[in-house]
Amino acid sequence: MIRFNDLPNLDLDTRTHLYMVFGSDSRVPIAYGTYASPPKGLTDLRKRMNDMLWLDVPDPVHIMDRDYCSDENLDDLLRANQKFILRAPPDFPFARDAIVRVKDRIMDMKNMKNVDGSTVFGMSFVNYRNGKKCFAHIIFSAEEAEKEFSVFLSLIDQCYKELLTNVYVK
């Protein structure tokens, strides 16, 4: 019998990098491909699209995670007039500027939505980058913010205990 603790320490990337094609009207997945890493740029993204050419999708919308998010990739997508949804981390300059733009208004009740049993606040607006129109969608979860704040407070509490006892707390 092998216990979990007996397994060697492995550094595994558990993320799955998918390229999916959805029906534009039905929003149902039609096909997908798995890859070892996220696309590095627009050329890599187009190679993945070519794998799906047999589907004859006329106007694809690319949905990409934060691994693809960089100034260069965002500019390439806009320059090529590609339709896309790109998840950007809060510290990405485009996202940070959008957050600053809505932070005082996002928790207004008219922006509140219920998504899968969770309450979130969302705002969308048009933004421009290098003369290209781009929509920014900001989603804020008060529940997630509260969880993160609780973790922060527990870390402060652990540090305080370490200072009092002069003993490192794991």
Side-chain angles (χ1 to χ4, degrees):
M1 175 182 198
I2 298 177
R3 297 174 302 176
F4 183 74
N5 290 343
D6 294 334
L7 296 174
N9 245 352
L10 299 175
D11 190 22
L12 297 175
D13 183 1
T14 57
R15 296 172 293 181
T16 302
H17 305 285
L18 291 173
Y19 183 84
M20 295 188 76
V21 178
F22 288 83
S24 58
D25 293 330
S26 67
R27 305 282 191 238
V28 172
I30 299 170
Y32 71 93
T34 58
Y35 298 88
S37 64
K40 303 294 184 244
L42 191 56
T43 302
D44 198 12
L45 194 62
R46 286 188 173 140
K47 285 179 186 173
R48 293 177 187 198
M49 283 173 49
N50 286 338
D51 291 345
M52 302 287 177
L53 277 180
W54 58 274
L55 288 170
D56 195 27
V57 178
D59 202 11
V61 177
H62 306 284
I63 301 173
M64 294 154 294
D65 206 356
R66 62 193 309 157
D67 289 333
Y68 188 77
C69 189
S70 71
D71 283 318
E72 182 182 343
N73 288 342
L74 178 57
D75 290 338
D76 283 348
L77 287 166
L78 291 169
R79 210 174 8 260
N81 290 321
Q82 296 290 306
K83 292 183 179 178
F84 64 93
I85 297 172
L86 177 61
R87 181 176 181 212
D91 59 341
F92 185 64
F94 182 83
R96 188 180 57 240
D97 294 346
I99 290 168
V100 167
R101 187 171 167 181
V102 303
K103 71 177 183 160
D104 295 332
R105 301 173 290 140
I106 195 161
M107 290 189 66
D108 189 306
M109 294 303 282
K110 69 181 178 188
N111 299 322
M112 188 171 74
K113 308 274 187 270
N114 192 315
V115 179
D116 292 332
S118 294
T119 301
V120 296
F121 295 87
M123 289 183 74
S124 299
F125 56 90
V126 176
N127 208 351
Y128 289 88
R129 182 177 171 98
N130 299 331
K132 294 285 192 173
K133 183 166 61 170
C134 186
F135 290 91
H137 308 283
I138 306 298
I139 310 294
F140 173 74
S141 169
E143 294 168 11
E144 287 297 317
E146 185 178 341
K147 285 178 193 173
E148 289 178 12
F149 189 63
S150 292
V151 168
F152 174 69
L153 290 178
S154 71
L155 288 173
I156 289 176
D157 188 48
Q158 286 178 2
C159 291
Y160 178 70
K161 287 177 183 173
E162 286 178 6
L163 288 171
L164 285 178
T165 62
N166 204 22
V167 175
Y168 174 70
V169 179
K170 288 186 179 183

PDB file of all heavy atoms in Angstrom, residues 59-83:
ATOM      1  N   ASP A  59     -15.746  32.918 -38.070  1.00  0.00           N
ATOM      2  CA  ASP A  59     -15.334  34.082 -37.289  1.00  0.00           C
ATOM      3  C   ASP A  59     -15.118  33.666 -35.832  1.00  0.00           C
ATOM      4  O   ASP A  59     -15.953  33.947 -34.975  1.00  0.00           O
ATOM      5  CB  ASP A  59     -16.423  35.156 -37.399  1.00  0.00           C
ATOM      6  CG  ASP A  59     -15.908  36.540 -37.098  1.00  0.00           C
ATOM      7  OD1 ASP A  59     -14.674  36.713 -37.012  1.00  0.00           O
ATOM      8  OD2 ASP A  59     -16.739  37.444 -36.933  1.00  0.00           O
ATOM      9  N   PRO A  60     -14.004  32.992 -35.532  1.00  0.00           N
ATOM     10  CA  PRO A  60     -13.835  32.437 -34.184  1.00  0.00           C
ATOM     11  C   PRO A  60     -13.625  33.518 -33.117  1.00  0.00           C
ATOM     12  O   PRO A  60     -13.127  34.604 -33.405  1.00  0.00           O
ATOM     13  CB  PRO A  60     -12.575  31.574 -34.311  1.00  0.00           C
ATOM     14  CG  PRO A  60     -11.803  32.216 -35.409  1.00  0.00           C
ATOM     15  CD  PRO A  60     -12.829  32.760 -36.372  1.00  0.00           C
ATOM     16  N   VAL A  61     -14.034  33.194 -31.906  1.00  0.00           N
ATOM     17  CA  VAL A  61     -13.766  34.028 -30.737  1.00  0.00           C
ATOM     18  C   VAL A  61     -12.787  33.240 -29.870  1.00  0.00           C
ATOM     19  O   VAL A  61     -13.081  32.124 -29.458  1.00  0.00           O
ATOM     20  CB  VAL A  61     -15.059  34.330 -29.937  1.00  0.00           C
ATOM     21  CG1 VAL A  61     -14.728  35.125 -28.689  1.00  0.00           C
ATOM     22  CG2 VAL A  61     -16.072  35.062 -30.809  1.00  0.00           C
ATOM     23  N   HIS A  62     -11.640  33.813 -29.616  1.00  0.00           N
ATOM     24  CA  HIS A  62     -10.614  33.139 -28.816  1.00  0.00           C
ATOM     25  C   HIS A  62     -10.860  33.454 -27.343  1.00  0.00           C
ATOM     26  O   HIS A  62     -11.052  34.610 -26.974  1.00  0.00           O
ATOM     27  CB  HIS A  62      -9.217  33.630 -29.205  1.00  0.00           C
ATOM     28  CG  HIS A  62      -8.934  33.511 -30.657  1.00  0.00           C
ATOM     29  ND1 HIS A  62      -8.648  32.318 -31.256  1.00  0.00           N
ATOM     30  CD2 HIS A  62      -8.918  34.447 -31.644  1.00  0.00           C
ATOM     31  CE1 HIS A  62      -8.456  32.514 -32.544  1.00  0.00           C
ATOM     32  NE2 HIS A  62      -8.625  33.797 -32.799  1.00  0.00           N
ATOM     33  N   ILE A  63     -10.844  32.417 -26.501  1.00  0.00           N
ATOM     34  CA  ILE A  63     -11.001  32.597 -25.061  1.00  0.00           C
ATOM     35  C   ILE A  63      -9.713  32.095 -24.421  1.00  0.00           C
ATOM     36  O   ILE A  63      -9.381  30.918 -24.545  1.00  0.00           O
ATOM     37  CB  ILE A  63     -12.230  31.833 -24.529  1.00  0.00           C
ATOM     38  CG1 ILE A  63     -13.482  32.335 -25.238  1.00  0.00           C
ATOM     39  CG2 ILE A  63     -12.340  31.991 -23.012  1.00  0.00           C
ATOM     40  CD1 ILE A  63     -14.728  31.564 -24.946  1.00  0.00           C
ATOM     41  N   MET A  64      -8.993  33.021 -23.782  1.00  0.00           N
ATOM     42  CA  MET A  64      -7.675  32.676 -23.270  1.00  0.00           C
ATOM     43  C   MET A  64      -7.528  33.080 -21.808  1.00  0.00           C
ATOM     44  O   MET A  64      -8.138  34.043 -21.358  1.00  0.00           O
ATOM     45  CB  MET A  64      -6.610  33.372 -24.114  1.00  0.00           C
ATOM     46  CG  MET A  64      -6.602  32.835 -25.525  1.00  0.00           C
ATOM     47  SD  MET A  64      -5.965  34.003 -26.719  1.00  0.00           S
ATOM     48  CE  MET A  64      -7.171  35.278 -26.670  1.00  0.00           C
ATOM     49  N   ASP A  65      -6.704  32.310 -21.114  1.00  0.00           N
ATOM     50  CA  ASP A  65      -6.478  32.557 -19.697  1.00  0.00           C
ATOM     51  C   ASP A  65      -5.309  33.516 -19.524  1.00  0.00           C
ATOM     52  O   ASP A  65      -4.647  33.921 -20.476  1.00  0.00           O
ATOM     53  CB  ASP A  65      -6.216  31.233 -18.986  1.00  0.00           C
ATOM     54  CG  ASP A  65      -6.579  31.277 -17.513  1.00  0.00           C
ATOM     55  OD1 ASP A  65      -6.956  32.358 -17.025  1.00  0.00           O
ATOM     56  OD2 ASP A  65      -6.483  30.240 -16.847  1.00  0.00           O
ATOM     57  N   ARG A  66      -5.019  33.820 -18.284  1.00  0.00           N
ATOM     58  CA  ARG A  66      -4.014  34.828 -17.956  1.00  0.00           C
ATOM     59  C   ARG A  66      -2.607  34.452 -18.416  1.00  0.00           C
ATOM     60  O   ARG A  66      -1.743  35.320 -18.520  1.00  0.00           O
ATOM     61  CB  ARG A  66      -4.047  35.130 -16.470  1.00  0.00           C
ATOM     62  CG  ARG A  66      -3.718  33.928 -15.610  1.00  0.00           C
ATOM     63  CD  ARG A  66      -4.037  34.082 -14.151  1.00  0.00           C
ATOM     64  NE  ARG A  66      -3.508  35.269 -13.567  1.00  0.00           N
ATOM     65  CZ  ARG A  66      -3.985  35.841 -12.475  1.00  0.00           C
ATOM     66  NH1 ARG A  66      -4.993  35.304 -11.847  1.00  0.00           N
ATOM     67  NH2 ARG A  66      -3.452  36.920 -11.984  1.00  0.00           N
ATOM     68  N   ASP A  67      -2.351  33.172 -18.711  1.00  0.00           N
ATOM     69  CA  ASP A  67      -1.031  32.773 -19.214  1.00  0.00           C
ATOM     70  C   ASP A  67      -0.715  33.457 -20.543  1.00  0.00           C
ATOM     71  O   ASP A  67       0.444  33.650 -20.885  1.00  0.00           O
ATOM     72  CB  ASP A  67      -0.949  31.255 -19.416  1.00  0.00           C
ATOM     73  CG  ASP A  67      -0.922  30.501 -18.103  1.00  0.00           C
ATOM     74  OD1 ASP A  67      -0.465  31.074 -17.094  1.00  0.00           O
ATOM     75  OD2 ASP A  67      -1.353  29.332 -18.074  1.00  0.00           O
ATOM     76  N   TYR A  68      -1.731  33.803 -21.309  1.00  0.00           N
ATOM     77  CA  TYR A  68      -1.549  34.428 -22.622  1.00  0.00           C
ATOM     78  C   TYR A  68      -1.467  35.946 -22.519  1.00  0.00           C
ATOM     79  O   TYR A  68      -1.104  36.621 -23.469  1.00  0.00           O
ATOM     80  CB  TYR A  68      -2.711  34.032 -23.543  1.00  0.00           C
ATOM     81  CG  TYR A  68      -2.524  34.453 -24.977  1.00  0.00           C
ATOM     82  CD1 TYR A  68      -1.678  33.743 -25.818  1.00  0.00           C
ATOM     83  CD2 TYR A  68      -3.181  35.553 -25.492  1.00  0.00           C
ATOM     84  CE1 TYR A  68      -1.486  34.120 -27.135  1.00  0.00           C
ATOM     85  CE2 TYR A  68      -2.996  35.948 -26.808  1.00  0.00           C
ATOM     86  CZ  TYR A  68      -2.157  35.227 -27.624  1.00  0.00           C
ATOM     87  OH  TYR A  68      -1.970  35.606 -28.923  1.00  0.00           O
ATOM     88  N   CYS A  69      -1.798  36.483 -21.364  1.00  0.00           N
ATOM     89  CA  CYS A  69      -1.948  37.923 -21.198  1.00  0.00           C
ATOM     90  C   CYS A  69      -0.588  38.624 -21.122  1.00  0.00           C
ATOM     91  O   CYS A  69       0.170  38.447 -20.179  1.00  0.00           O
ATOM     92  CB  CYS A  69      -2.755  38.216 -19.929  1.00  0.00           C
ATOM     93  SG  CYS A  69      -3.196  39.933 -19.782  1.00  0.00           S
ATOM     94  N   SER A  70      -0.306  39.382 -22.166  1.00  0.00           N
ATOM     95  CA  SER A  70       0.877  40.247 -22.187  1.00  0.00           C
ATOM     96  C   SER A  70       0.540  41.435 -23.081  1.00  0.00           C
ATOM     97  O   SER A  70      -0.383  41.372 -23.898  1.00  0.00           O
ATOM     98  CB  SER A  70       2.109  39.507 -22.721  1.00  0.00           C
ATOM     99  OG  SER A  70       1.985  39.281 -24.114  1.00  0.00           O
ATOM    100  N   ASP A  71       1.285  42.509 -22.932  1.00  0.00           N
ATOM    101  CA  ASP A  71       1.063  43.691 -23.775  1.00  0.00           C
ATOM    102  C   ASP A  71       1.183  43.326 -25.252  1.00  0.00           C
ATOM    103  O   ASP A  71       0.361  43.729 -26.072  1.00  0.00           O
ATOM    104  CB  ASP A  71       2.068  44.799 -23.433  1.00  0.00           C
ATOM    105  CG  ASP A  71       1.713  45.522 -22.150  1.00  0.00           C
ATOM    106  OD1 ASP A  71       0.525  45.807 -21.939  1.00  0.00           O
ATOM    107  OD2 ASP A  71       2.634  45.810 -21.363  1.00  0.00           O
ATOM    108  N   GLU A  72       2.217  42.562 -25.582  1.00  0.00           N
ATOM    109  CA  GLU A  72       2.464  42.187 -26.978  1.00  0.00           C
ATOM    110  C   GLU A  72       1.305  41.352 -27.540  1.00  0.00           C
ATOM    111  O   GLU A  72       0.816  41.619 -28.645  1.00  0.00           O
ATOM    112  CB  GLU A  72       3.772  41.404 -27.077  1.00  0.00           C
ATOM    113  CG  GLU A  72       4.131  41.005 -28.483  1.00  0.00           C
ATOM    114  CD  GLU A  72       5.415  40.176 -28.542  1.00  0.00           C
ATOM    115  OE1 GLU A  72       6.186  40.176 -27.573  1.00  0.00           O
ATOM    116  OE2 GLU A  72       5.612  39.524 -29.573  1.00  0.00           O
ATOM    117  N   ASN A  73       0.845  40.348 -26.784  1.00  0.00           N
ATOM    118  CA  ASN A  73      -0.237  39.494 -27.267  1.00  0.00           C
ATOM    119  C   ASN A  73      -1.550  40.265 -27.406  1.00  0.00           C
ATOM    120  O   ASN A  73      -2.284  40.083 -28.376  1.00  0.00           O
ATOM    121  CB  ASN A  73      -0.427  38.291 -26.346  1.00  0.00           C
ATOM    122  CG  ASN A  73       0.694  37.286 -26.472  1.00  0.00           C
ATOM    123  OD1 ASN A  73       1.440  37.294 -27.447  1.00  0.00           O
ATOM    124  ND2 ASN A  73       0.824  36.434 -25.487  1.00  0.00           N
ATOM    125  N   LEU A  74      -1.844  41.136 -26.442  1.00  0.00           N
ATOM    126  CA  LEU A  74      -3.061  41.939 -26.526  1.00  0.00           C
ATOM    127  C   LEU A  74      -3.013  42.852 -27.750  1.00  0.00           C
ATOM    128  O   LEU A  74      -3.982  42.937 -28.516  1.00  0.00           O
ATOM    129  CB  LEU A  74      -3.241  42.764 -25.247  1.00  0.00           C
ATOM    130  CG  LEU A  74      -4.454  43.690 -25.196  1.00  0.00           C
ATOM    131  CD1 LEU A  74      -5.760  42.936 -25.399  1.00  0.00           C
ATOM    132  CD2 LEU A  74      -4.480  44.442 -23.867  1.00  0.00           C
ATOM    133  N   ASP A  75      -1.889  43.490 -27.974  1.00  0.00           N
ATOM    134  CA  ASP A  75      -1.745  44.371 -29.136  1.00  0.00           C
ATOM    135  C   ASP A  75      -1.859  43.583 -30.445  1.00  0.00           C
ATOM    136  O   ASP A  75      -2.478  44.048 -31.401  1.00  0.00           O
ATOM    137  CB  ASP A  75      -0.421  45.136 -29.084  1.00  0.00           C
ATOM    138  CG  ASP A  75      -0.405  46.183 -27.981  1.00  0.00           C
ATOM    139  OD1 ASP A  75      -1.497  46.608 -27.542  1.00  0.00           O
ATOM    140  OD2 ASP A  75       0.696  46.571 -27.553  1.00  0.00           O
ATOM    141  N   ASP A  76      -1.262  42.375 -30.487  1.00  0.00           N
ATOM    142  CA  ASP A  76      -1.366  41.536 -31.695  1.00  0.00           C
ATOM    143  C   ASP A  76      -2.815  41.169 -31.996  1.00  0.00           C
ATOM    144  O   ASP A  76      -3.242  41.225 -33.151  1.00  0.00           O
ATOM    145  CB  ASP A  76      -0.550  40.248 -31.529  1.00  0.00           C
ATOM    146  CG  ASP A  76       0.944  40.463 -31.702  1.00  0.00           C
ATOM    147  OD1 ASP A  76       1.349  41.546 -32.171  1.00  0.00           O
ATOM    148  OD2 ASP A  76       1.696  39.539 -31.358  1.00  0.00           O
ATOM    149  N   LEU A  77      -3.566  40.778 -30.976  1.00  0.00           N
ATOM    150  CA  LEU A  77      -4.970  40.414 -31.177  1.00  0.00           C
ATOM    151  C   LEU A  77      -5.772  41.600 -31.699  1.00  0.00           C
ATOM    152  O   LEU A  77      -6.593  41.453 -32.618  1.00  0.00           O
ATOM    153  CB  LEU A  77      -5.579  39.902 -29.868  1.00  0.00           C
ATOM    154  CG  LEU A  77      -5.140  38.524 -29.414  1.00  0.00           C
ATOM    155  CD1 LEU A  77      -5.537  38.294 -27.960  1.00  0.00           C
ATOM    156  CD2 LEU A  77      -5.737  37.440 -30.302  1.00  0.00           C
ATOM    157  N   LEU A  78      -5.553  42.774 -31.127  1.00  0.00           N
ATOM    158  CA  LEU A  78      -6.277  43.961 -31.561  1.00  0.00           C
ATOM    159  C   LEU A  78      -5.873  44.376 -32.981  1.00  0.00           C
ATOM    160  O   LEU A  78      -6.720  44.701 -33.809  1.00  0.00           O
ATOM    161  CB  LEU A  78      -6.036  45.117 -30.587  1.00  0.00           C
ATOM    162  CG  LEU A  78      -6.673  44.955 -29.204  1.00  0.00           C
ATOM    163  CD1 LEU A  78      -6.165  46.014 -28.253  1.00  0.00           C
ATOM    164  CD2 LEU A  78      -8.188  44.999 -29.305  1.00  0.00           C
ATOM    165  N   ARG A  79      -4.586  44.318 -33.274  1.00  0.00           N
ATOM    166  CA  ARG A  79      -4.088  44.696 -34.597  1.00  0.00           C
ATOM    167  C   ARG A  79      -4.636  43.765 -35.681  1.00  0.00           C
ATOM    168  O   ARG A  79      -4.942  44.197 -36.795  1.00  0.00           O
ATOM    169  CB  ARG A  79      -2.553  44.653 -34.594  1.00  0.00           C
ATOM    170  CG  ARG A  79      -1.888  45.595 -35.513  1.00  0.00           C
ATOM    171  CD  ARG A  79      -0.358  45.655 -35.421  1.00  0.00           C
ATOM    172  NE  ARG A  79       0.327  44.694 -34.598  1.00  0.00           N
ATOM    173  CZ  ARG A  79       0.784  44.957 -33.360  1.00  0.00           C
ATOM    174  NH1 ARG A  79       0.593  46.139 -32.813  1.00  0.00           N
ATOM    175  NH2 ARG A  79       1.421  44.034 -32.671  1.00  0.00           N
ATOM    176  N   ALA A  80      -4.801  42.482 -35.342  1.00  0.00           N
ATOM    177  CA  ALA A  80      -5.294  41.484 -36.296  1.00  0.00           C
ATOM    178  C   ALA A  80      -6.829  41.443 -36.347  1.00  0.00           C
ATOM    179  O   ALA A  80      -7.393  40.599 -37.041  1.00  0.00           O
ATOM    180  CB  ALA A  80      -4.736  40.104 -35.937  1.00  0.00           C
ATOM    181  N   ASN A  81      -7.484  42.317 -35.589  1.00  0.00           N
ATOM    182  CA  ASN A  81      -8.956  42.362 -35.533  1.00  0.00           C
ATOM    183  C   ASN A  81      -9.565  41.017 -35.149  1.00  0.00           C
ATOM    184  O   ASN A  81     -10.605  40.624 -35.687  1.00  0.00           O
ATOM    185  CB  ASN A  81      -9.542  42.863 -36.858  1.00  0.00           C
ATOM    186  CG  ASN A  81      -9.262  44.325 -37.073  1.00  0.00           C
ATOM    187  OD1 ASN A  81      -9.307  45.124 -36.149  1.00  0.00           O
ATOM    188  ND2 ASN A  81      -8.936  44.681 -38.304  1.00  0.00           N
ATOM    189  N   GLN A  82      -8.921  40.302 -34.236  1.00  0.00           N
ATOM    190  CA  GLN A  82      -9.436  39.030 -33.757  1.00  0.00           C
ATOM    191  C   GLN A  82     -10.469  39.280 -32.667  1.00  0.00           C
ATOM    192  O   GLN A  82     -10.340  40.218 -31.884  1.00  0.00           O
ATOM    193  CB  GLN A  82      -8.290  38.182 -33.173  1.00  0.00           C
ATOM    194  CG  GLN A  82      -7.238  37.791 -34.181  1.00  0.00           C
ATOM    195  CD  GLN A  82      -7.741  36.782 -35.169  1.00  0.00           C
ATOM    196  OE1 GLN A  82      -8.245  35.730 -34.811  1.00  0.00           O
ATOM    197  NE2 GLN A  82      -7.613  37.114 -36.444  1.00  0.00           N
ATOM    198  N   LYS A  83     -11.490  38.441 -32.617  1.00  0.00           N
ATOM    199  CA  LYS A  83     -12.445  38.498 -31.511  1.00  0.00           C
ATOM    200  C   LYS A  83     -11.874  37.613 -30.400  1.00  0.00           C
ATOM    201  O   LYS A  83     -11.420  36.503 -30.657  1.00  0.00           O
ATOM    202  CB  LYS A  83     -13.807  37.972 -31.944  1.00  0.00           C
ATOM    203  CG  LYS A  83     -14.500  38.872 -32.946  1.00  0.00           C
ATOM    204  CD  LYS A  83     -15.867  38.329 -33.278  1.00  0.00           C
ATOM    205  CE  LYS A  83     -16.573  39.230 -34.262  1.00  0.00           C
ATOM    206  NZ  LYS A  83     -17.887  38.675 -34.634  1.00  0.00           N
TER     207      LYS A  83
END
